[in-house]
């Protein structure tokens, strides 16, 4: 079994990349999802692509549940025996620590591929300024770095910055969707042989999360009102908010990364939201969602 880690900071587009990879290559994939919090919303998208999901929630595989993580990888290898196990860490996972955990159980039947890190073009500068070494850990320890969300962004400038951080030429300026099947076949046959670049655990930011289910908004103005409160900082520093919001007979897929909001209609009939950030005002969020409770 080969293991491919698809890393990236909150909202970088890891799930979208995995769906693309599965579409390009006809292989037996199993996805190990490590969602931050007790709700796994990405599972909905992946299962719709007929991918098999192995969930790990309430804990980060790079530190607090590393023993369970290693045991789960061995269980997947023995029970499911996929061609490829794709590990999708939480967006605040430490890639160096995940590699260290997996290295402990690597042998002839379990091999690590070069890990991939996705970098969001829109939030890179702010994330580097805010999280420094912790953020760059995912870049320095990647085998390949892809730039995502390139619309209306200065890709050339970001490419040069990533080259300086990475220290080699395994940064790709073109969007990953532009590469052909042969490129991805090679990607799944390139084993990881690099050393691990670690940094002090003191640099890890203290993220917290809260989630809600079984609610319904009356109209779209209420979604706009909630978004404005988030952007004003009424609930603390929310870096990521995502989920599905029922509004009458419709469902809105909600995705906020830093200050960039994306809302689209969805045919997924689900009522769930997850908030990830620092110094969250959980009580105020609970009061807000209590007003929309359906049960």
């Amino acid at each position: 079994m080969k293991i491919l880690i698809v890393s990236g900071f909150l909202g970088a587009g890891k799930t979208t990349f995995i769906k693309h990879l599965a579409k390009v290559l006809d292989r037996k994939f199993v996805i190990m999802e490590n969602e931050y919090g007790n709700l796994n919303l990405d599972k909905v998208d992946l299962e719709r692509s007929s991918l098999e999901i192995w969930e790990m929630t309430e804990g980060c595989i790079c530190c607090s549940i590393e023993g369970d993580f290693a045991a789960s990888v061995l269980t997947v290898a023995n029970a499911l025996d996929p061609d490829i196990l794709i590990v999708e860490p939480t967006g605040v996972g430490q890639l160096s620590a995940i590699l260290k955990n997996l290295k402990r159980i690597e042998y002839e039947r379990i091999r690590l591929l070069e890990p991939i890190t996705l970098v969001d073009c829109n939030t890179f500068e702010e994330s580097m300024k805010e999280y420094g070494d912790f953020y760059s850990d995912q870049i320095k320890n990647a085998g390949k770095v892809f730039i995502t969300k390139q619309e209306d962004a200065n890709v050339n400038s970001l490419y040069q910055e990533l080259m300086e951080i990475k220290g080699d030429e395994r940064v790709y300026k073109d969007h990953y969707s532009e590469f052909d099947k042969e490129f991805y076949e090679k990607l799944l046959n390139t084993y990881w042989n690099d050393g691990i670049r670690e940094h002090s655990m003191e640099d890890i930011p203290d993220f917290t999360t809260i989630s809600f289910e079984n609610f319904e908004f009356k109209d779209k103005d209420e979604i706009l009102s909630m978004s404005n409160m988030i952007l004003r900082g009424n609930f603390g520093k929310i870096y990521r908010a995502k989920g599905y919001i029922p509004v009458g007979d419709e469902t809105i897929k909600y995705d906020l990364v830093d200050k960039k909001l994306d809302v689209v209609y969805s045919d997924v009939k689900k009522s769930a939201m997850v908030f990830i950030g620092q110094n969250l005002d959980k009580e105020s969020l609970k009061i807000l969602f209590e007003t929309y409770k359906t049960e």
Side-chain angles (χ1 to χ4, degrees):
M1 180 181 79
K2 300 174 184 177
I3 301 176
L4 176 66
I5 303 170
V6 178
S7 181
F9 204 60
L10 293 165
K14 297 184 293 296
T15 301
T16 304
F17 174 85
I18 292 170
K19 288 166 62 180
H20 177 76
L21 181 63
K23 185 178 179 181
V24 172
L25 298 177
D26 182 20
R27 304 288 285 275
K28 184 182 178 183
F29 291 111
V30 170
I31 319 299
M32 180 172 283
E33 281 267 303
N34 179 213
E35 186 60 273
Y36 197 81
N38 60 1
L39 286 180
N40 189 347
L41 297 176
D42 292 336
K43 181 181 178 183
V44 177
D45 278 344
L46 291 170
E47 286 183 330
R48 286 157 69 90
S49 298
S50 300
L51 291 165
E52 189 164 1
I53 315 299
W54 189 282
E55 289 185 82
M56 297 192 75
T57 57
E58 286 299 343
C60 180
I61 59 178
C62 66
C63 47
S64 62
I65 59 170
E66 60 180 52
D68 290 342
F69 170 49
S72 291
V73 170
L74 291 172
T75 299
V76 169
N78 294 323
L80 303 178
D81 192 27
D83 297 330
I84 309 290
L85 171 63
I86 298 178
V87 175
E88 182 185 354
T90 166
V92 292
Q94 190 180 7
L95 182 53
S96 59
I98 296 166
L99 287 166
K100 194 174 180 180
N101 290 341
L102 287 171
K103 198 67 180 173
R104 292 163 40 216
I105 60 171
E106 187 178 26
Y107 69 113
E108 64 270 13
R109 282 193 60 238
I110 297 178
R111 298 288 307 277
L112 274 170
L113 297 171
E114 281 193 344
I116 289 167
T117 291
L118 305 174
V119 174
D120 183 340
C121 219
N122 297 299
T123 62
F124 171 79
E125 295 293 346
E126 186 65 28
S127 297
M128 278 297 294
K129 187 189 305 180
E130 191 80 21
Y131 304 113
D133 288 341
F134 175 77
Y135 185 83
S136 64
D137 178 272
Q138 295 191 9
I139 299 167
K140 290 178 180 179
N141 285 289
K144 291 179 174 59
V145 177
F146 294 105
I147 300 171
T148 64
K149 305 185 181 180
Q150 298 186 8
E151 304 82 3
D152 304 319
N154 189 342
V155 178
N156 289 329
S157 174
L158 174 55
Y159 173 74
Q160 293 302 324
E161 289 189 65
L162 291 172
M163 288 279 285
E164 291 178 14
I165 295 171
K166 185 79 181 75
D168 59 42
E169 296 184 351
R170 290 178 293 177
V171 178
Y172 294 85
K173 188 187 300 186
D174 293 335
H175 192 268
Y176 62 76
S177 61
E178 297 181 27
F179 294 98
D180 60 17
K181 184 176 180 179
E182 183 179 353
F183 175 87
Y184 286 105
E185 289 285 3
K186 185 176 180 181
L187 183 149
L188 296 184
N189 284 288
T190 305
Y191 294 106
W192 179 70
N193 295 306
D194 291 356
I196 300 173
R197 304 182 187 182
E198 296 185 77
H199 66 272
S200 171
M201 296 294 284
E202 296 176 1
D203 297 331
I204 297 177
D206 182 22
F207 285 94
T208 56
T209 182
I210 189 171
S211 57
F212 301 94
E213 293 182 279
N214 304 317
F215 56 84
E216 182 178 355
F217 284 30
K218 295 182 181 66
D219 54 50
K220 298 178 186 67
D221 287 341
E222 292 183 331
I223 297 177
L224 179 61
S225 176
M226 177 186 71
S227 301
N228 286 334
M229 287 191 285
I230 291 172
L231 294 173
R232 287 198 301 267
N234 291 28
F235 305 116
K237 181 175 176 54
I238 293 177
Y239 195 93
R240 184 85 194 274
K242 62 180 179 178
Y244 296 92
I245 303 176
V247 182
D249 295 331
E250 301 172 329
T251 302
I252 302 294
K253 184 178 181 181
Y254 187 99
D255 193 0
L256 184 143
V257 181
D258 198 10
K259 296 178 177 62
K260 184 174 176 58
L261 176 62
D262 184 28
V263 290
V264 295
Y265 290 107
S266 173
D267 58 357
V268 174
K269 298 303 177 184
K270 193 172 182 65
S271 172
M273 280 289 294
V274 174
F275 297 87
I276 304 170
Q278 294 177 290
N279 302 314
L280 293 186
D281 186 347
K282 294 185 178 182
E283 288 305 312
S284 293
L285 282 166
K286 287 177 183 176
I287 291 170
L288 173 68
F289 275 85
E290 192 64 35
T291 63
Y292 302 125
K293 199 75 175 171
T294 57
E295 290 185 2

